[in-house]
Amino acid sequence: MQAKRRFPFLRFLALTLAVVLLCALPFAVLTAAYLTAEPQYGKTYYAALPLKYERLIRTPGSRVVVIGGSSAAFGIDSKIMEKELGMPCVNFGLYAAFGLKCMLDLSIQGIHAGDIVVIAPEYSSQMYSDYIGSSYLLQALESSPEMYLAFGADYLSGLLEAMPSHLEEKWDFAETGSPDPQGVYAYSAFDSYGDIIYDRPENMMDSMVSADNLPQIDPTIVTDDFADMINEYVAAVEKKGAQVYFGFCPVNRLSVELAEDTDTEGFLTALQQKLHCPVLSSLEDHMMDPGYFYDSNYHMNNAGAVFNTVLLVNDIKRIRGEMSPTLTKIPDPVAGSTSDVLSSGSIDGLRYDITAEGAVITGLDKEGLQMQTINVPETIDGASVYKIASSAFSGCAASQIEIPKTVRVLSGKLFCDAKNLSAVHLLSDTLPQVGDSMMTGAAENVKIYVPADIYGDYITDYFWALYAEYLEKID
């Protein structure tokens, strides 16, 4: 009778063990596949994260540690910081798509007593949250899996969900070749300090500002959950004998003027009331002349990186009670280029403007709205077509759009309400400039076809990675 009573319990234990093993099996298989797959992202922008982490862990003594997104990567000159302050700087910012939580969690074990930690996220609801960019972490940490030990269990489900598509992408690269991006969005753009040293002498944005990714400076983004995340980090860092300050990243003044519902006073009040650390700097000081920016409203050019670094140097001198002058000279902002309209017209259903830089497709006329196929020409009246303006194809009936190799700027909401659109062909052999709202309002099944030999560059690019789900190779 006793044996009979035990049998159901033993069967329950066996079934429980079987369920546990079945649940663990997919995780084990995916983990093994991830760890054994050949690395593919070593030349990409994301690969700089282990470089920055290594500098954080290995640099001895008291440091200035700046935590944020790409505004830190583009906006800090660690050598100037070290020269002016007499202490090393760790530039621990790379990409907002990782999430601020990720950068905070990675930094904890590398913080030393005496460190000055400055948290300066970009002004967006994503960065002011506990968002985790799992797919981007998988790319960044493929050769440094030990960095995952810095993360808690709350990362696990997101990483597992992103793993299958990540592995499929890696296996595809193993056959076609690893991404080898050129320019500023590549591992080669960084020095050993983790600073971007790629030459950025100008403002590349049309009209000196990007209408995409406008800053959200208002109290609604300073949520209780965000404050809790920051305050927990502050408590952990202070236990190590370091001091945390909340700072402000640089932002293009023109983008602040374009943004809706900006409430700087309410924003500052919310930060001061909810955070358990001092606010380091003046928000107004960080709303900078557009001549200090490069290719986004947060990315500094050469002159801007120096300016932003000097601002931070002066803030740190102030909190240390130092009166010594800062010797680094602040460069003047670069001058903007003209985009005055010289003439306008319509050709083959396309409305256009001619400017000093070239031709801009501004929209469609009545004929163009009804066309089933739209082919943008390379030139109009002898001017090279270099830009497609915001909402240019909005509401069109076309199912196919072909954009020539001359186009280097694609603006926001290009395909909004284009209900029949299924394919966009980009013929350029380089990546056009793009913001984060190009596909806003577009049909769900749209595919963007790009040259096969730079497909890997597209899906690992800082900006174009946002559109990876739409991208396909041109056969």
Side-chain angles (χ1 to χ4, degrees), residues 20 42 78 90 121 178 196 234 313 340 406:
V20 170
S78 298
V90 178
S178 302
I196 291 179
V234 169
V313 166
D340 293 341
T406 57

Side-chain angles (χ1 to χ4, degrees), residues 446-468:
V446 176
K447 293 298 179 183
I448 301 174
Y449 293 88
V450 300
D453 58 340
I454 57 172
Y455 171 78
D457 295 348
Y458 267 99
I459 63 174
T460 57
D461 179 72
Y462 179 93
F463 293 103
W464 278 99
L466 299 173
Y467 303 109

Side-chain angles (χ1 to χ4, degrees), residues 136-350:
Y136 301 106
L137 284 176
L138 290 172
Q139 295 179 38
L141 305 187
E142 63 170 2
S143 298
S144 303
E146 69 279 2
M147 291 173 64
Y148 287 111
L149 297 176
F151 300 139
D154 49 348
Y155 285 76
L156 186 58
S157 62
L159 291 170
L160 287 176
E161 183 179 353
M163 188 77 76
S165 59
H166 170 76
L167 290 172
E168 183 179 358
E169 183 177 280
K170 288 188 73 168
W171 293 330
D172 185 44
F173 284 146
E175 295 182 1
T176 61
S178 302
D180 188 13
Q182 305 300 312
V184 70
Y185 295 106
Y187 181 81
S188 59
F190 293 85
D191 65 7
S192 59
Y193 287 83
D195 298 338
I196 291 179
I197 56 171
Y198 184 85
D199 191 31
R200 314 182 302 281
E202 58 188 348
N203 183 321
M204 296 179 59
M205 294 179 285
D206 194 49
S207 302
M208 305 286 283
V209 65
S210 172
D212 285 327
N213 198 23
L214 296 175
Q216 186 179 353
I217 303 176
D218 68 73
T220 64
I221 67 171
V222 189
T223 64
D224 291 341
D225 287 343
F226 172 76
D228 288 344
M229 179 181 75
I230 298 296
N231 292 335
E232 288 174 10
Y233 179 82
V234 169
V237 168
E238 288 181 344
K239 283 184 179 179
K240 292 192 160 202
Q243 179 64 54
V244 182
Y245 296 88
F246 196 87
F248 300 115
C249 75
V251 61
N252 188 332
R253 186 187 304 137
L254 291 180
S255 71
V256 178
E257 294 172 0
L258 290 174
E260 298 179 355
D261 301 324
T262 296
D263 179 1
T264 56
E265 184 176 345
F267 175 68
L268 289 170
T269 299
L271 289 173
Q272 292 164 349
Q273 290 179 344
K274 293 186 177 184
L275 300 187
H276 297 168
C277 62
V279 174
L280 175 65
S281 52
S282 163
L283 175 58
E284 184 66 30
D285 286 348
H286 288 79
M287 297 178 185
M288 299 179 186
D289 188 288
Y292 285 122
F293 292 83
Y294 180 57
D295 65 349
S296 93
N297 298 321
Y298 297 114
H299 294 176
M300 314 305 288
N301 57 26
N302 297 338
V306 175
F307 183 23
N308 187 62
T309 301
V310 170
L311 283 180
L312 183 55
V313 166
N314 290 336
D315 284 332
I316 292 174
K317 284 187 174 183
R318 175 175 48 79
I319 63 174
R320 295 201 309 191
E322 296 181 9
M323 303 298 292
S324 60
T326 298
L327 301 178
T328 303
K329 181 180 178 182
I330 298 175
D332 293 329
V334 301
S337 58
T338 179
S339 58
D340 293 341
V341 176
L342 304 177
S343 64
S344 300
S346 181
I347 181 173
D348 298 331
L350 300 170

